[in-house]
């Protein structure tokens, strides 16, 4: 049986803040349809590694290959195009606080697609429905709980139907029950959304 | 099984609870985690004064023992450090033990002292045996590393002057580059706005305009009103000496329209709206919202900076005009109440004194057009306004029949005397 294709390869990656080395010689492959977890103690550089993989922090050494392309060797425009294959759920959900939950999910579609507003609205309802947040479409991020914010962040992350979903400590700050539900949701996203049949 | 948590601090009995210092005594809580339950259980009598913390090193060099007595709390002076060389006389590989039977209370100060002792024992090559310490103190001490982290603040030497100058220069250049890049991106976004391709949401622009404009009316109004009023009051007191009170109107009008209102409005807006923008962007940065924008490829300059800058650019001139009007009104209120001058006369003198700023002139024209159009000055049968005031118009040549302040044909008496009532 053939192995799924590799969609991201990290080769000898080094990360540092000034003279302080955070990571060095990090290498791994991510395959389509798989769930890959990076674990470690607090402050060991997990989020920093994630940031370098999604274009927020340039590594000091090594390569990140997305498909066959060296991500950090591309220009800004190309990196932005590659980023559209990514969906990211940040540790704090990072919902844009001046927008409603629905607007948060809709903004990437408005910016990067030419879909009419009514179609975008239906898609937003769909994405929020996936995460059980359809009733909160018109609420502001400050009006919902931490778990709901995470789910709304997940709905935004899958707004553009990305190939790869990144989660930065998705269950941080959540109670065990909410955390377990979010884990189920992530599993569903990883299996059913990534490989629709 | 151990009993319920016991409180062992200076607020409790002078003698330690039974079992203090024994490994089996499980809960000696620090005061900062004191529960209401234990606090309420304290006896109603005032607590005895705390004994001063005392330590002595006893035993011989082969088996030194540190004897601790008194109340080891921050409040009772228990934060005195243990000398680094306090155990220098002990032999290598000897074991340091403790006797804490005389300890009547303790908090973090006790642990800090023991940590010092532990480090001194390490320096002297001695074994540190914590068995004689209270069980809670043993557990807390076990959480601490053998030595404090070598903090930069403790032993940080300032970098050489040349290095500091170089660092500062690079930092300034870096910041200049960042600001320039942002400014260029914003300018680019502004150009794209003209073609509708900037990515800026009109909703954000409207929100920022509301925050920068109407929401700031109160503070801008209050500041400018006070500036105008103070200027008029001070000017009036001084100009009265020279019988030149009427020039207060010019003073307030010219000063506010040309300089002060613009500066005050700018300062208020920089503090209020600029501060709000900085706080919002900082909050977005802390909440990873900026990161989220960057990952999606949404330009921060177009999304955040452009609406803010455009809204300020649109609102500042309007706020300046509003501030000028309010400042003049402030001067007007003070002058009319302290001078023998009519309101319209004051306003007319004010606008006479203001050099031809287009906006101000426009407001003046609009204001007075509306005022007279509303019929506040009735017209005579010949269509000319006639005066019932002081009756000495210097323009009409009508001398005894017209007010001297009446301007022929313009319909305005600079002192605001009414028309239609011939003297």
């Amino acid at each position: 049986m053939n192995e799924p294709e590799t969609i991201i390869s990290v080769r000898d990656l080094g990360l540092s803040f000034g003279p302080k080395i955070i990571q060095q010689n990090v290498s791994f492959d991510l395959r389509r349809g798989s769930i890959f977890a990076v674990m470690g103690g607090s402050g060991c550089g997990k989020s920093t590694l994630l940031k370098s993989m999604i274009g927020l922090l340039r590594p000091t050494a090594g390569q990140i290959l997305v498909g066959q392309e060296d991500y950090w060797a591309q220009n800004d425009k190309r990196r932005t195009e590659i980023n559209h294959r990514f969906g990211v759920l940040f540790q704090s959900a990072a919902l844009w606080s001046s927008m409603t939950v629905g607007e948060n999910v809709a903004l990437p579609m408005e910016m990067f697609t030419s879909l009419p507003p009514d179609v975008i609205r239906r898609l937003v309802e769909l994405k929020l429905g996936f995460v059980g947040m359809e009733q909160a479409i018109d609420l502001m991020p400050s009006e919902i709980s931490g778990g709901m914010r995470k789910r709304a962040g997940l709905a935004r992350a899958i707004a553009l139907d990305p190939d790869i979903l990144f989660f930065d400590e998705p269950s941080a700050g959540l109670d065990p029950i909410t955390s377990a539900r979010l884990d189920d949701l992530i599993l569903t996203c990883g299996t059913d959304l990534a490989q629709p049949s | 099984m151990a009993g319920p948590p016991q409180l062992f601090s200076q607020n409790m009995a002078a003698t330690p609870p039974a079992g203090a210092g024994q490994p089996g005594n499980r809960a000696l809580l620090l005061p900062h985690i004191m529960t209401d339950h234990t606090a309420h259980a304290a006896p109603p009598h005032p607590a005895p004064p705390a004994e001063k913390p005392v330590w002595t090193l006893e035993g011989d060099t082969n088996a030194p023992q540190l004897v601790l007595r008194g109340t080891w709390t921050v409040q009772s002076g228990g934060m005195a450090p243990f000398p680094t060389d306090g155990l220098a006389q002990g032999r290598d590989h000897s074991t340091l033990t403790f006797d804490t039977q005389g300890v009547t209370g303790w908090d973090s100060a006790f642990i800090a002292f023991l940590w010092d002792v532990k480090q001194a024992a390490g320096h002297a090559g001695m074994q540190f045996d914590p068995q004689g310490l209270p069980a809670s103190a043993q557990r807390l001490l076990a959480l601490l590393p053998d030595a404090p982290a070598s903090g930069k603040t403790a032993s940080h030497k300032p970098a050489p002057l040349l290095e500091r100058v170089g660092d500062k220069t690079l930092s300034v250049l870096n910041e200049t580059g960042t600001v320039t890049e942002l400014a260029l991106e914003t300018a680019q976004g502004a150009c794209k706005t003209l073609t509708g391709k900037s990515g800026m949401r009109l909703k954000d622009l409207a929100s920022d305009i509301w925050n920068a404009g109407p929401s700031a009316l109160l503070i801008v109004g209050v500041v400018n009103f006070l500036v105008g009023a103070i200027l008029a009051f001070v000017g009036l007191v001084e100009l009265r000496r020279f019988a030149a009170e009427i020039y207060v109107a010019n003073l307030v009008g010219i000063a506010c329209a040309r300089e002060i209102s613009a500066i005050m409005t700018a300062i208020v807006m920089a503090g209020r709206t600029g501060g709000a923008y900085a706080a919002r962007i900082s909050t977005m940065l802390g909440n990873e919202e900026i990161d989220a924008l960057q990952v999606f490829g949404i330009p921060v300059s177009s999304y955040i900076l452009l609406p803010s800058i455009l809204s300020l650019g649109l609102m500042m001139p309007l706020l300046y005009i509003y501030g000028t009007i309010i400042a003049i009104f402030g001067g007007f209120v003070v002058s009319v109440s302290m001078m023998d001058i009519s309101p319209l006369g004051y306003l007319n003198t004010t606008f006479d004194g203001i050099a031809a700023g287009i906006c101000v002139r426009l407001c003046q024209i609009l204001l007075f057009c509306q005022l007279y159009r509303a019929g506040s000055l009735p017209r005579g049968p010949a269509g000319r306004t006639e005066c019932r005031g002081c009756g000495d118009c210097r323009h009409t040549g009508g001398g005894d029949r017209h007010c001297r302040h009446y301007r022929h044909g313009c319909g305005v008496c600079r002192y605001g005397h009414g028309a239609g009532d011939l003297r």
Side-chain angles (χ1 to χ4, degrees):
Chain A
M1 183 178 169
N2 292 334
E3 279 196 339
E5 63 170 318
T6 299
I7 47 177
I8 293 186
S9 284
V10 175
R11 294 278 169 267
D12 300 323
L13 198 72
L15 299 164
S16 62
F17 291 121
K20 186 178 180 185
I21 295 173
I22 307 297
Q23 300 278 359
Q24 55 186 347
N25 299 324
V26 178
S27 297
F28 56 87
D29 292 332
L30 301 185
R31 298 185 187 283
R32 182 176 293 281
S34 65
I35 293 179
F36 187 92
V38 178
M39 294 190 288
S42 177
C44 73
K46 304 182 295 293
S47 298
T48 309
L49 174 62
L50 179 85
K51 282 184 178 181
S52 74
M53 294 175 71
I54 58 177
L56 295 175
L57 181 69
R58 185 178 284 276
T60 48
Q63 288 180 314
I64 296 172
L65 302 174
V66 180
Q68 300 302 317
E69 293 179 285
D70 183 350
Y71 180 81
W72 283 103
Q74 310 301 316
N75 58 27
D76 287 349
K77 189 180 174 190
R78 180 61 191 145
R79 276 208 301 274
T80 302
E81 288 170 1
I82 294 173
N83 274 8
H84 290 168
R85 296 177 60 191
F86 300 162
V88 184
L89 173 58
F90 289 90
Q91 190 169 351
S92 59
L95 294 178
W96 296 305
S97 50
S98 60
M99 298 183 199
T100 64
V101 169
E103 287 171 338
N104 263 277
V105 181
L107 185 66
M109 299 185 215
E110 289 169 358
M111 297 287 288
F112 301 110
T113 68
S114 51
L115 297 170
D118 57 328
V119 174
I120 289 178
R121 175 82 183 179
R122 284 182 58 203
L123 281 172
V124 168
E125 288 169 352
L126 179 78
K127 306 289 181 185
L128 287 172
F130 283 152
V131 297
M133 286 286 292
E134 65 281 358
Q135 80 285 358
I137 189 167
D138 292 321
L139 296 179
M140 300 299 287
S142 58
E143 296 172 323
I144 59 178
S145 69
M148 292 169 83
R149 263 186 229 140
K150 286 279 173 72
R151 284 189 282 153
L154 179 55
R156 188 183 65 183
I158 60 175
L160 295 176
D161 291 325
D163 294 339
I164 307 154
L165 273 175
F166 292 93
F167 299 89
D168 186 7
E169 301 210 27
S171 55
L174 300 182
D175 62 83
I177 296 171
T178 310
S179 180
R181 285 180 186 159
L182 193 65
D183 289 345
D184 290 341
L185 204 54
I186 292 169
L187 285 171
T188 305
C189 291
T191 52
D192 299 332
L193 283 178
Q195 296 176 321
S197 56
Chain B
M1 182 176 170
Q6 299 170 16
L7 188 68
F8 183 20
S9 77
Q10 63 174 355
N11 293 325
M12 297 298 288
T15 54
Q22 302 304 315
N25 179 24
R26 83 172 165 89
L28 290 175
L29 301 180
L30 294 177
H32 69 274
I33 53 173
M34 180 193 301
T35 63
D36 285 345
H37 172 74
T38 51
H40 287 276
H45 306 294
E51 291 179 48
K52 287 198 72 175
V54 178
W55 62 270
T56 51
L57 195 57
E58 298 178 358
D60 56 25
T61 54
N62 290 323
Q65 185 179 46
L66 198 62
V67 180
L68 301 162
R69 291 190 302 276
T71 305
W72 286 80
T73 60
V74 176
Q75 297 295 329
S76 64
M79 280 300 286
F82 186 79
T84 314
D85 57 351
L87 299 172
Q89 294 175 349
R91 285 192 178 169
D92 277 358
H93 308 300
S94 58
T95 301
L96 177 68
T97 57
F98 292 89
D99 176 2
T100 57
Q101 292 297 322
V103 174
T104 54
W106 59 270
D107 64 6
S108 300
F110 187 52
I111 306 298
F113 178 82
L114 292 175
W115 197 22
D116 284 349
V117 174
K118 189 176 180 183
Q119 291 168 55
H123 286 308
M126 298 169 67
Q127 299 292 322
F128 183 88
D129 179 11
Q131 291 302 314
L133 299 173
S136 297
Q138 290 182 38
R139 286 195 291 270
L140 290 170
L141 203 56
L143 295 176
L144 297 169
D146 289 338
S150 54
K152 284 183 180 175
T153 51
S155 60
H156 180 64
K157 285 183 180 176
L161 180 66
L162 197 61
E163 186 180 332
R164 277 183 285 157
V165 170
D167 279 349
K168 194 72 183 171
T169 306
L170 288 175
S171 170
V172 168
L173 286 175
N174 191 29
E175 196 163 329
T176 306
T178 305
V179 171
T180 307
E181 187 183 2
L182 269 179
L184 289 175
E185 282 180 10
T186 309
Q188 193 181 12
C191 294
K192 284 183 181 175
T193 303
L194 299 174
T195 58
K197 293 178 180 174
S198 69
M200 177 183 66
R201 299 192 324 155
L202 287 179
K203 192 178 173 185
D204 294 330
L205 179 63
S207 170
D208 281 351
I209 284 178
W210 174 260
N211 289 329
S215 298
L217 287 180
L218 181 62
I219 183 71
V220 169
V222 168
V223 170
N224 279 288
F225 180 88
L226 290 174
V227 166
I230 292 166
L231 205 57
F233 180 77
V234 175
L236 199 59
V237 170
E238 294 301 319
L239 291 174
R240 186 169 278 168
R241 296 184 188 177
F242 308 102
E245 294 159 286
I246 186 60
Y247 291 110
V248 164
N250 297 58
L251 173 70
V252 173
I254 291 170
C256 291
R258 291 188 188 173
E259 300 291 342
I260 297 178
S261 286
I263 290 172
M264 295 310 294
T265 305
I267 290 172
V268 168
M269 292 304 287
R272 178 194 175 275
T273 311
Y277 288 159
R280 186 181 68 177
I281 291 171
S282 299
T283 305
M284 290 183 76
L285 206 58
N287 289 342
E288 299 178 304
E289 293 175 46
I290 306 281
D291 286 349
L293 285 174
Q294 288 176 329
V295 168
F296 275 113
I298 300 170
V300 177
S301 55
S302 298
Y303 181 74
I304 299 173
L305 300 184
L306 193 55
S308 308
I309 290 172
L310 281 182
S311 60
L312 270 181
L314 290 171
M315 286 296 106
M316 275 302 290
L318 299 178
L319 283 172
Y320 154 69
I321 293 172
Y322 165 78
T324 305
I325 292 169
I326 294 292
I328 289 172
F329 177 67
F332 166 83
V333 169
V334 170
S335 300
V336 167
S337 61
M338 294 179 68
M339 284 169 62
D340 182 22
I341 188 170
S342 67
L344 278 178
Y346 179 88
L347 291 176
N348 197 41
T349 308
T350 297
F351 289 121
D352 269 352
I354 297 175
I358 293 174
C359 293
V360 179
R361 282 291 179 192
L362 185 65
C363 289
Q364 177 190 359
I365 289 163
L366 290 175
L367 180 69
F368 279 88
C369 281
Q370 293 302 319
L371 201 65
Y372 291 116
R373 197 173 289 169
S376 61
L377 295 177
R379 289 182 171 277
R384 279 172 49 189
T385 307
E386 294 171 298
C387 180
R388 62 182 171 187
C390 56
D392 186 10
C393 176
R394 60 186 169 191
H395 297 295
T396 60
D400 58 345
R401 290 179 60 81
H402 293 86
C403 171
R404 64 189 161 126
H405 303 300
Y406 175 67
R407 289 181 182 179
H408 179 65
C410 66
V412 178
C413 170
R414 71 164 63 192
Y415 287 125
H417 295 143
D421 185 11
L422 297 179
R423 195 176 103 180

